[in-house]
Structures are given as structure tokens and as C-alpha cells.
Amino acid sequence: MEYLKVAKILSTVGLKGEVRVFTTSTFKDIRYKKGSLLFYKDENGDYKEIHIKSYRNKEGNIDYLTFIEFDSIEKVEPLIDKELFALKDYKNLKKDEYYYSDLISSTCYDEENKEIGVIKDIKEFNSNVSLEIKLKENNKTIYIPFNDFFIKDVDIDNKKIIIHVIEGLLEI
């Protein structure tokens, strides 16, 4: 089983076990559907199951959840600062869609097939999602926006991404 991080619990809200979370998943309607299964890691690093009782969205990536297993502030407080996970499930994806985690360790090339570097992480900034790339040439780290202008092809099976390079993009 492979787990995907979908949120981080930020704080409690009220007395009935509601929590405020920062969501990193693009499948909120599936992840937070009543009865949906999520996981958190306990103090031993073991994944523990929890089930969604209710979900509401305030704005952007801030969401409010309650869990069937935690019905009071006292019970849910130990979860503050914990990450929530879901099982990786490819049936949620449409054709030519993939999880960000599938991009990690992919090799990036320019349009002339010259190797640029390797993706180390995916960063979600307020304005965009960016690929964190460790450059082959000098081991420095750069960020390239993950959008149609820069990303020309993604080949998940071969872990290869083609990037449109403009002047100054690879400079630090």
C-alpha cells in the first residue's frame, strides 16, 4: 500500500472535535466524503485509520473536518500538527492525469533532449505549483512552474519530463 499526504491538521475548532486542516489533495470531494477512510501516523509511526464524519470548506486549501472516531476537543487535540494520508488509488485519475508523487525522481530534459536535472519535490505556492529540480550541471536547486507553458510532456512510465526552457530559467 502506498499512502499519499492529503492534509495537515492545523488546529481544533469548537468543542465537538472539529479540526481545521490545510489540504494538499485535489480530490476533496472524494477524500472528505462522509465515511471516507483516511490515516494518520501514531507516535510509533504506524498508520491509524480514521473516518470522515463531516467536511466543510472555508476558503482555498483550508478545510474543516470531523471524524467518527473523535467526537470531542479532548480526543482530537493529540492530532494537531499531524498529517493525514489516503491510499493511492489510480481509479480517481482520468486519462493523462497522475499524482504529484509520481513525478518525484523523474528526469527533466529540455526540448533538444539535453538533461536538465531531477525532480526532488513538488511545491505548492500561493500563486502556482512548481517542480523543485536539482540541476545536473551544478547540483543547485531551481523551481519551474508546473504549467502548460513550461511543461511540454510528462512520461510517467519512463520518468521523463520535457521542459520548455526560456532565457534565465535555469540560472540561479
Side-chain angles (χ1 to χ4, degrees):
M1 280 190 282
E2 187 174 350
Y3 297 90
L4 293 173
K5 179 181 150 188
V6 297
K8 180 174 182 175
I9 298 176
L10 302 174
S11 64
T12 60
V13 179
L15 301 174
K16 296 184 179 183
E18 186 173 43
V19 293
R20 185 169 68 97
V21 302
F22 179 78
T23 300
T24 56
S25 174
T26 55
F27 299 109
K28 291 182 185 187
D29 293 339
I30 296 169
R31 303 277 187 235
Y32 299 154
K33 185 177 176 182
K34 186 174 183 174
S36 290
L37 175 65
L38 292 179
F39 300 85
Y40 69 93
K41 287 185 183 179
D42 68 10
E43 56 280 345
N44 298 320
D46 297 324
Y47 288 95
K48 297 295 182 184
E49 292 184 2
I50 53 175
H51 297 85
I52 298 294
K53 181 177 180 182
S54 69
Y55 155 67
R56 65 186 174 100
N57 176 261
K58 187 72 172 178
E59 59 183 76
N61 288 355
I62 301 297
D63 296 297
Y64 295 83
L65 305 174
T66 58
F67 307 107
I68 293 170
E69 295 82 358
F70 300 95
D71 60 359
S72 71
I73 189 172
E74 294 82 16
K75 290 180 182 176
V76 82
E77 277 181 331
L79 297 182
I80 294 174
D81 290 328
K82 291 201 180 287
E83 295 176 333
L84 296 175
F85 300 88
L87 292 175
K88 191 181 235 184
D89 186 357
Y90 286 96
K91 71 181 180 192
N92 294 332
L93 300 178
K94 297 174 185 159
K95 187 178 188 273
D96 295 326
E97 286 186 334
Y98 36 82
Y99 291 107
Y100 287 159
S101 62
D102 292 336
L103 300 173
I104 306 296
S105 77
S106 292
T107 304
C108 298
Y109 298 86
D110 66 16
E111 291 168 299
E112 284 78 44
N113 211 34
K114 179 183 174 202
E115 186 176 338
I116 296 170
V118 176
I119 297 176
K120 293 299 175 192
D121 201 1
I122 310 298
K123 298 292 185 182
E124 293 192 46
F125 299 110
N126 288 337
S127 59
N128 66 9
V129 174
S130 293
L131 303 177
E132 179 182 317
I133 300 172
K134 184 176 182 180
L135 297 175
K136 178 184 178 185
E137 197 171 284
N138 58 16
N139 284 331
K140 303 257 182 180
T141 299
I142 63 167
Y143 296 91
I144 295 181
F146 190 65
N147 61 40
D148 291 340
F149 180 79
F150 291 107
I151 308 305
K152 295 304 175 189
D153 186 51
V154 175
D155 181 348
I156 293 295
D157 295 331
N158 294 309
K159 306 283 283 177
K160 181 177 180 178
I161 296 176
I162 305 297
I163 295 174
H164 174 64
V165 177
I166 60 172
E167 185 176 337
L169 184 67
L170 303 179
E171 296 174 12
I172 298 181

